[in-house]
Amino acid sequence: MNIIFLGAPGAGKGTQSAYLKKQFGMAVISTGDMLRQSVNEKTPIGIKAATYMEEGKLVPDSIIISMLKERISQPDCETGFVLDGFPRNLKQAGELDHMLHQKNKSIDLVIYLSVNEDDLVDRIVGRFVCDGCGKTYHETLAPPKKEGVCDVCGHEHFSKRKDDNKETIQARLKEYHRLTMPILPFYEKQGCLAKIDGMRPPNEVTHDIVKVVKEHQTC
Ligand code: AMP
Protein backbone atom coordinates (compact mmCIF):
# COMPACT_ATOMS: atom_id res chain seq x y z
CA MET A 1 0.00 0.00 0.00
CA ASN A 2 1.08 3.56 -0.64
CA ILE A 3 -0.11 5.86 2.12
CA ILE A 4 0.09 9.59 2.69
CA PHE A 5 -0.18 11.29 6.08
CA LEU A 6 -1.59 14.80 5.93
CA GLY A 7 -1.97 17.18 8.83
CA ALA A 8 -0.65 20.34 10.42
CA PRO A 9 2.84 20.43 11.97
CA GLY A 10 2.61 18.58 15.29
CA ALA A 11 -0.51 16.59 14.29
CA GLY A 12 1.30 13.30 14.97
CA LYS A 13 2.26 12.27 11.42
CA GLY A 14 5.78 11.24 12.46
CA THR A 15 4.63 9.27 15.49
CA GLN A 16 1.98 7.38 13.53
CA SER A 17 4.27 6.71 10.55
CA ALA A 18 6.84 5.21 12.93
CA TYR A 19 4.12 2.89 14.22
CA LEU A 20 3.21 1.71 10.68
CA LYS A 21 6.90 1.07 10.02
CA LYS A 22 7.20 -1.03 13.17
CA GLN A 23 3.91 -2.88 12.75
CA PHE A 24 3.78 -3.47 8.99
CA GLY A 25 7.45 -3.00 7.99
CA MET A 26 6.53 -0.22 5.58
CA ALA A 27 9.16 2.18 4.27
CA VAL A 28 8.57 5.60 5.82
CA ILE A 29 9.62 8.62 3.82
CA SER A 30 9.80 11.83 5.83
CA THR A 31 10.88 14.64 3.53
CA GLY A 32 11.53 16.80 6.64
CA ASP A 33 13.94 14.16 8.04
CA MET A 34 15.66 13.81 4.66
CA LEU A 35 16.13 17.57 4.46
CA ARG A 36 17.38 17.84 8.06
CA GLN A 37 19.96 15.16 7.29
CA SER A 38 21.06 17.07 4.17
CA VAL A 39 21.34 20.26 6.24
CA ASN A 40 23.47 18.49 8.88
CA GLU A 41 25.71 17.00 6.21
CA LYS A 42 25.92 20.36 4.42
CA THR A 43 25.12 18.79 1.04
CA PRO A 44 24.21 21.14 -1.86
CA ILE A 45 20.49 20.39 -1.22
CA GLY A 46 20.94 21.02 2.50
CA ILE A 47 22.67 24.34 1.92
CA LYS A 48 19.84 25.48 -0.38
CA ALA A 49 17.07 24.22 1.92
CA ALA A 50 18.37 25.51 5.28
CA THR A 51 17.13 29.11 5.04
CA TYR A 52 13.63 28.09 3.94
CA MET A 53 13.39 25.60 6.80
CA GLU A 54 14.61 28.07 9.41
CA GLU A 55 11.98 30.55 8.24
CA GLY A 56 9.23 27.92 8.30
CA LYS A 57 8.72 28.16 4.56
CA LEU A 58 8.37 25.37 2.05
CA VAL A 59 11.55 24.36 0.23
CA PRO A 60 11.20 24.93 -3.56
CA ASP A 61 9.33 22.20 -5.44
CA SER A 62 12.23 21.58 -7.84
CA ILE A 63 14.44 20.44 -4.94
CA ILE A 64 11.90 18.37 -3.07
CA ILE A 65 10.27 16.66 -6.07
CA SER A 66 13.53 15.29 -7.48
CA MET A 67 14.57 14.17 -3.99
CA LEU A 68 11.26 12.32 -3.56
CA LYS A 69 11.41 10.78 -7.02
CA GLU A 70 14.80 9.26 -6.30
CA ARG A 71 13.69 7.99 -2.89
CA ILE A 72 10.53 6.20 -4.05
CA SER A 73 12.55 4.43 -6.75
CA GLN A 74 14.58 2.61 -4.11
CA PRO A 75 13.93 -1.11 -3.56
CA ASP A 76 12.43 -0.74 -0.06
CA CYS A 77 9.53 1.25 -1.57
CA GLU A 78 8.63 -1.48 -4.09
CA THR A 79 5.95 -3.04 -1.90
CA GLY A 80 4.60 0.20 -0.46
CA PHE A 81 5.54 3.30 1.48
CA VAL A 82 4.25 5.88 3.90
CA LEU A 83 4.76 9.54 3.09
CA ASP A 84 5.15 11.96 5.99
CA GLY A 85 5.45 15.58 4.87
CA PHE A 86 4.90 15.10 1.14
CA PRO A 87 2.97 16.37 -0.78
CA ARG A 88 2.80 19.87 0.74
CA ASN A 89 1.04 21.65 -2.15
CA LEU A 90 -1.05 20.85 -5.22
CA LYS A 91 1.92 20.90 -7.57
CA GLN A 92 3.64 18.20 -5.48
CA ALA A 93 0.41 16.17 -5.30
CA GLY A 94 0.08 16.26 -9.10
CA GLU A 95 3.73 15.34 -9.61
CA LEU A 96 3.38 12.43 -7.19
CA ASP A 97 0.38 11.06 -9.11
CA HIS A 98 2.38 11.37 -12.31
CA MET A 99 5.46 9.62 -10.85
CA LEU A 100 3.36 6.74 -9.54
CA HIS A 101 1.32 6.45 -12.73
CA GLN A 102 4.55 5.90 -14.67
CA LYS A 103 5.27 2.95 -12.37
CA ASN A 104 1.71 1.60 -12.68
CA LYS A 105 1.10 2.51 -9.06
CA SER A 106 -1.16 4.89 -7.17
CA ILE A 107 -1.91 6.28 -3.74
CA ASP A 108 -4.17 3.87 -1.87
CA LEU A 109 -4.97 5.89 1.22
CA VAL A 110 -4.57 9.44 2.48
CA ILE A 111 -4.88 9.76 6.25
CA TYR A 112 -5.71 13.26 7.40
CA LEU A 113 -4.97 13.80 11.09
CA SER A 114 -7.19 16.66 12.20
CA VAL A 115 -6.11 18.67 15.25
CA ASN A 116 -7.14 21.68 17.26
CA GLU A 117 -4.57 24.28 16.26
CA ASP A 118 -4.73 26.11 19.61
CA ASP A 119 -2.99 23.09 21.15
CA LEU A 120 -0.39 22.69 18.44
CA VAL A 121 2.07 25.30 19.65
CA ASP A 122 2.42 23.56 23.05
CA ARG A 123 2.72 20.18 21.36
CA ILE A 124 5.49 21.41 19.08
CA VAL A 125 7.45 23.60 21.49
CA GLY A 126 7.69 20.75 24.02
CA ARG A 127 8.79 18.03 21.66
CA PHE A 128 12.23 16.46 21.36
CA VAL A 129 13.66 13.39 19.66
CA CYS A 130 16.07 10.62 20.58
CA ASP A 131 19.35 11.05 18.69
CA GLY A 132 19.74 7.28 18.57
CA CYS A 133 16.48 6.06 17.02
CA GLY A 134 14.48 9.22 16.28
CA LYS A 135 11.61 8.42 18.68
CA THR A 136 9.64 11.58 19.45
CA TYR A 137 8.91 12.62 23.05
CA HIS A 138 7.23 15.57 24.73
CA GLU A 139 8.47 17.32 27.87
CA THR A 140 5.14 17.03 29.70
CA LEU A 141 2.72 15.05 27.49
CA ALA A 142 4.97 12.10 26.64
CA PRO A 143 8.33 12.08 28.47
CA PRO A 144 10.57 8.97 28.44
CA LYS A 145 9.65 6.47 31.18
CA LYS A 146 13.09 6.96 32.76
CA GLU A 147 14.25 10.55 32.61
CA GLY A 148 17.04 11.10 30.10
CA VAL A 149 16.90 7.56 28.66
CA CYS A 150 15.12 6.57 25.45
CA ASP A 151 12.39 3.94 26.02
CA VAL A 152 13.13 2.31 22.68
CA CYS A 153 16.92 2.19 22.28
CA GLY A 154 18.32 3.27 25.66
CA HIS A 155 20.21 6.19 24.13
CA GLU A 156 20.83 9.12 26.49
CA HIS A 157 21.10 11.99 24.03
CA PHE A 158 18.14 13.92 22.69
CA SER A 159 17.73 16.98 20.51
CA LYS A 160 15.14 19.56 19.60
CA ARG A 161 14.38 20.62 16.04
CA LYS A 162 15.68 24.07 15.20
CA ASP A 163 12.31 25.07 13.71
CA ASP A 164 10.27 23.95 16.74
CA ASN A 165 10.07 27.43 18.25
CA LYS A 166 7.06 29.74 18.62
CA GLU A 167 7.96 32.17 15.82
CA THR A 168 8.72 29.53 13.19
CA ILE A 169 5.63 27.53 14.10
CA GLN A 170 3.41 30.48 13.17
CA ALA A 171 5.09 30.66 9.76
CA ARG A 172 4.78 26.89 9.28
CA LEU A 173 1.07 26.98 10.14
CA LYS A 174 0.54 29.82 7.70
CA GLU A 175 2.24 27.83 4.91
CA TYR A 176 0.15 24.83 5.90
CA HIS A 177 -3.13 26.76 5.52
CA ARG A 178 -2.13 28.55 2.36
CA LEU A 179 -0.53 25.68 0.45
CA THR A 180 -1.15 22.29 2.05
CA MET A 181 -4.82 22.45 3.08
CA PRO A 182 -5.97 22.84 -0.56
CA ILE A 183 -4.67 19.30 -1.19
CA LEU A 184 -7.49 17.80 0.88
CA PRO A 185 -10.23 18.27 -1.77
CA PHE A 186 -7.81 16.85 -4.38
CA TYR A 187 -7.69 13.52 -2.54
CA GLU A 188 -11.30 13.69 -1.39
CA LYS A 189 -12.33 13.75 -5.05
CA GLN A 190 -10.20 10.65 -5.66
CA GLY A 191 -12.15 8.91 -2.87
CA CYS A 192 -9.15 7.87 -0.79
CA LEU A 193 -9.23 10.40 2.05
CA ALA A 194 -9.77 9.16 5.62
CA LYS A 195 -10.15 11.80 8.31
CA ILE A 196 -9.02 10.82 11.81
CA ASP A 197 -9.26 12.87 14.99
CA GLY A 198 -5.61 13.39 15.99
CA MET A 199 -6.38 15.09 19.31
CA ARG A 200 -6.77 11.84 21.22
CA PRO A 201 -4.00 9.82 22.93
CA PRO A 202 -1.60 8.35 20.32
CA ASN A 203 -2.69 4.72 20.90
CA GLU A 204 -6.33 5.59 20.17
CA VAL A 205 -5.30 7.40 16.99
CA THR A 206 -3.17 4.39 16.01
CA HIS A 207 -6.15 2.08 16.57
CA ASP A 208 -8.25 4.03 14.03
CA ILE A 209 -5.37 4.23 11.56
CA VAL A 210 -4.83 0.47 11.65
CA LYS A 211 -8.57 0.04 11.04
CA VAL A 212 -8.57 2.18 7.88
CA VAL A 213 -5.32 0.64 6.65
CA LYS A 214 -6.87 -2.81 7.00
CA GLU A 215 -9.96 -1.69 5.13
CA HIS A 216 -7.48 -0.87 2.38
CA GLN A 217 -9.22 1.96 0.63
CA THR A 218 -8.08 2.36 -2.95
CA CYS A 219 -8.13 5.54 -5.00
P1 AMP B 1 8.54 18.59 8.58
O1 AMP B 1 9.58 17.77 9.31
O2 AMP B 1 7.68 17.75 7.68
O3 AMP B 1 7.75 19.47 9.51
O4 AMP B 1 9.35 19.57 7.60
C1 AMP B 1 10.26 20.53 8.10
C2 AMP B 1 10.54 21.57 7.04
O5 AMP B 1 11.11 20.94 5.89
C3 AMP B 1 9.30 22.28 6.51
O6 AMP B 1 8.93 23.39 7.31
C4 AMP B 1 9.79 22.72 5.12
O7 AMP B 1 10.66 23.83 5.20
C5 AMP B 1 10.63 21.52 4.69
N1 AMP B 1 9.83 20.51 3.96
C6 AMP B 1 9.55 19.23 4.35
N2 AMP B 1 8.81 18.60 3.44
C7 AMP B 1 8.61 19.49 2.43
C8 AMP B 1 7.89 19.45 1.20
N3 AMP B 1 7.24 18.34 0.81
N4 AMP B 1 7.91 20.57 0.42
C9 AMP B 1 8.58 21.67 0.79
N5 AMP B 1 9.24 21.79 1.95
C10 AMP B 1 9.27 20.71 2.77
Side-chain angles (χ1 to χ4, degrees), residues 21 27 36 42-43 47 131 133 151 167 210 215:
K21 180 176 181 173
R36 277 184 287 280
K42 297 194 168 59
T43 66
I47 291 166
D131 289 344
C133 67
D151 299 349
E167 299 72 42
V210 170
E215 281 166 10

Side-chain angles (χ1 to χ4, degrees), residues 45-46 57 61 93 110 122 133 164 177 188 213 219:
I45 286 184
K57 292 194 177 133
D61 289 336
V110 179
D122 286 344
C133 67
D164 277 352
H177 283 287
E188 200 160 28
V213 169
C219 284

Side-chain angles (χ1 to χ4, degrees), residues 117-177:
E117 291 192 14
D118 293 339
D119 297 327
L120 283 184
V121 177
D122 286 344
R123 266 199 190 193
I124 297 174
V125 171
R127 78 180 171 184
F128 60 95
V129 293
C130 167
D131 289 344
C133 67
K135 161 118 179 105
T136 304
Y137 293 96
H138 188 280
E139 283 158 12
T140 52
L141 302 173
K145 288 189 185 95
K146 186 172 171 212
E147 199 185 330
V149 183
C150 177
D151 299 349
V152 177
C153 71
H155 207 78
E156 296 184 2
H157 293 280
F158 300 87
S159 51
K160 278 182 84 76
R161 277 172 50 171
K162 219 173 169 181
D163 57 349
D164 277 352
N165 59 70
K166 273 192 182 160
E167 299 72 42
T168 314
I169 291 162
Q170 297 306 338
R172 285 159 65 197
L173 280 172
K174 224 166 148 184
E175 289 284 82
Y176 172 72
H177 283 287

Side-chain angles (χ1 to χ4, degrees), residues 36-185:
R36 277 184 287 280
Q37 191 179 344
S38 303
V39 171
N40 287 340
E41 291 170 359
K42 297 194 168 59
T43 66
I45 286 184
I47 291 166
K48 278 189 207 147
T51 320
Y52 295 96
M53 295 172 77
E54 275 170 32
E55 290 176 0
K57 292 194 177 133
L58 292 192
V59 167
D61 289 336
S62 55
I63 296 180
I64 202 91
I65 289 168
S66 55
M67 195 177 90
L68 198 270
K69 195 169 182 182
E70 198 191 312
R71 180 65 187 90
I72 62 169
S73 303
Q74 288 172 12
D76 64 330
C77 295
E78 265 311 304
T79 52
F81 53 77
V82 179
L83 285 174
D84 163 12
F86 190 100
R88 282 288 234 282
N89 59 28
L90 278 168
K91 161 101 176 142
Q92 294 180 11
E95 289 285 340
L96 177 64
D97 264 10
H98 183 64
M99 274 180 228
L100 292 176
H101 189 73
Q102 285 181 328
K103 294 174 184 286
N104 260 332
K105 290 180 177 176
S106 61
I107 292 297
D108 301 291
L109 178 64
V110 179
I111 300 171
Y112 168 50
L113 295 177
S114 70
V115 284
N116 174 359
E117 291 192 14
D118 293 339
D119 297 327
L120 283 184
V121 177
D122 286 344
R123 266 199 190 193
I124 297 174
V125 171
R127 78 180 171 184
F128 60 95
V129 293
C130 167
D131 289 344
C133 67
K135 161 118 179 105
T136 304
Y137 293 96
H138 188 280
E139 283 158 12
T140 52
L141 302 173
K145 288 189 185 95
K146 186 172 171 212
E147 199 185 330
V149 183
C150 177
D151 299 349
V152 177
C153 71
H155 207 78
E156 296 184 2
H157 293 280
F158 300 87
S159 51
K160 278 182 84 76
R161 277 172 50 171
K162 219 173 169 181
D163 57 349
D164 277 352
N165 59 70
K166 273 192 182 160
E167 299 72 42
T168 314
I169 291 162
Q170 297 306 338
R172 285 159 65 197
L173 280 172
K174 224 166 148 184
E175 289 284 82
Y176 172 72
H177 283 287
R178 193 170 68 89
L179 300 165
T180 310
M181 286 288 274
I183 302 177
L184 291 177

